[in-house]
Every structure is written in structure tokens, then in C-alpha cells.
Amino acid sequence: MAEGLRIERYGNVGVVIMNRPPHNFLNFQQIHDLADAFGELQDDMSIRCGVLAAEGRSFCAGADFAGDGVGGGEDEVVGGSATLRLYQGSARLFDITLPIVGAIQGPAVGGGLGLAMVPDIRITCPEARFSANFAALGIHQGFGMSVTMPELLGPTRAAEVLYTARRYKGEEAVAVGLADECVPADQLRGRAMELAHEIGSNAPLALRAIKSTLRLGLGDRVREITKREASIQEQLSNSDDGKEGIASV
């Protein structure tokens, strides 16, 4: 398996664990490794449900603006060609038809919150923090959240989350709809596995067909919207507000 990622199998449940602690920052390779991992589980008909989890303090604290994350040394601003490739790669995750439960154990910030939109159901804990912090950075949202956030929360609540750049604790995230259940941190992975096994007790072809219908065309919509997201991010990254905000990360 790719560095910083591992797959574990427990009966009919496959678990993909990000292991780049403490913050599991996103980069282009990580996105494609995640998509490859879930693609591998999807192709295995003995696996009926997946779990997305992470080791470390954060579930995913976003893209690594300074290092090998967004730009990979190619772009000076967020929103350049490398950012677009990362976002387009993320669309592969929304093509997956295997049901996925997310175990969100710590901060899911920026692109990390976008990644938290991939699971169909999210289990979290009080220590988690959910934040679409783009407005605070002076830039536009990315990772397809222009599509996935309104679809999950509805347009009004999505606007509130994006406009305020507020940080939601685990219980608050459940209240606004960013997560579905909040349990003590030491029970988080176990609860995600319990739910995944419950889902996995059902017929694999039916589960894949149901998810395929529920998320019909979502991957394509993410691919399309990320072109706009990256373009506007590039424009705003060149503004004084954007430069100051990104430099503060």
C-alpha cells in the first residue's frame, strides 16, 4: 500500500486509514492513493462497506500550502494547475459506489472538510472540529464543496458554514448536519465499524446500486465545479487578502 495509507479488512468491511500524523495534510498523491484504495475495496465483492479513518491529532487539516500539498513546487498560488489536479483527483472519490462510513476524530479543516464529505455517513467525537475556513483565508472554497456542501446541508445552511468560516465542535457539527452522530473519542472507531458491519450485512450488489443512484453524477459535478473553484482561488490568492491569509497558515 502507498506510504501514509493502509487498508485493513474485517470480514465484509474494509477500512482505509490515513497515516500521515499529526495532521494528514492532503497532497495530490494522497488523493489518488485514497481513490485507489477505495477502488480496490469496491472491486472486491466480499467487501460490502468501507470506513475512512485517520491516525493522528487531525482527521485532515487541509492542503499543505507550504510544502508538497497543493502546488508540489509548481504553483506559487493556491488555485493553480496543481491545485486543479488535486481537486479533479478528489472527484474519483465521489465516483466510488461502495458505501463509506467516516470516522472523524479531529479537525477536518478546509480541504479536509471537503474530504469528510466523501463518506455517506459521518461519525465524530466531541474533540473534532469541522471548518470551511476559506473565507477567513481570503480565498474561495475548493474540493467540490460548492456542490457537496449544499447537497448535504441545503443551500442556506451551506452558505452559513462557508460565509462564517466557523469551527464546529463534534456536537455542533451534528446539530448543523456536518456529521450524523457524536460519540466519545475512545468509542469512535468502534462505532464506525459497528455501523459499517450493519450496512455490510446487506446484499453487496444492492448496496452499490443504491449508492450509485443516491450519488448519480456527483463525481462529474465535482469535476466541473472544481474548474471554477480553482480558477477563483487563483484570482483571490493573488489579492492582498489572499496572500495575507495563506501566509498565516
Side-chain angles (χ1 to χ4, degrees), residues 18-60:
M18 296 182 289
N19 190 25
R20 299 180 68 213
H23 298 303
N24 294 298
F25 286 115
L26 291 174
N27 60 30
F28 176 80
Q29 189 61 51
Q30 179 90 342
I31 287 294
H32 283 279
D33 288 345
L34 282 166
D36 288 345
F38 278 110
E40 177 183 325
L41 293 176
Q42 177 176 268
D43 291 341
D44 182 352
M45 294 307 294
S46 71
I47 299 297
R48 302 184 183 191
C49 189
V51 172
L52 175 59
E55 301 288 357
R57 199 170 81 196
S58 300
F59 170 76
C60 176

Side-chain angles (χ1 to χ4, degrees), residues 98-116:
L98 182 74
I100 300 172
V101 177
I104 316 300
Q105 94 287 2
V109 179
L113 181 57
L115 181 61

Side-chain angles (χ1 to χ4, degrees), residues 61 144 199 207:
I199 293 169
L207 288 170

Side-chain angles (χ1 to χ4, degrees), residues 112-197:
L113 181 57
L115 181 61
M117 299 294 101
V118 170
D120 304 275
I121 302 167
R122 281 156 292 279
I123 311 298
T124 192
C125 61
E127 292 80 3
R129 298 291 183 270
F130 294 70
S131 177
N133 64 338
F134 301 95
L137 296 177
I139 60 174
H140 190 280
Q141 70 272 11
F143 211 97
M145 276 188 277
S146 305
V147 166
T148 59
M149 187 77 68
E151 185 150 310
L152 178 67
L153 304 179
T156 302
R157 185 69 78 181
E160 178 183 343
V161 171
L162 291 167
Y163 293 165
T164 64
R166 188 179 300 154
R167 294 174 67 88
Y168 297 89
K169 298 178 182 179
E171 300 96 331
E172 296 168 331
V174 172
V176 302
L178 288 167
D180 301 290
E181 188 175 341
C182 185
V183 300
D186 62 356
Q187 299 176 24
L188 175 61
R189 190 79 62 87
R191 175 58 186 140
M193 292 296 295
E194 179 183 29
L195 180 57
H197 279 296

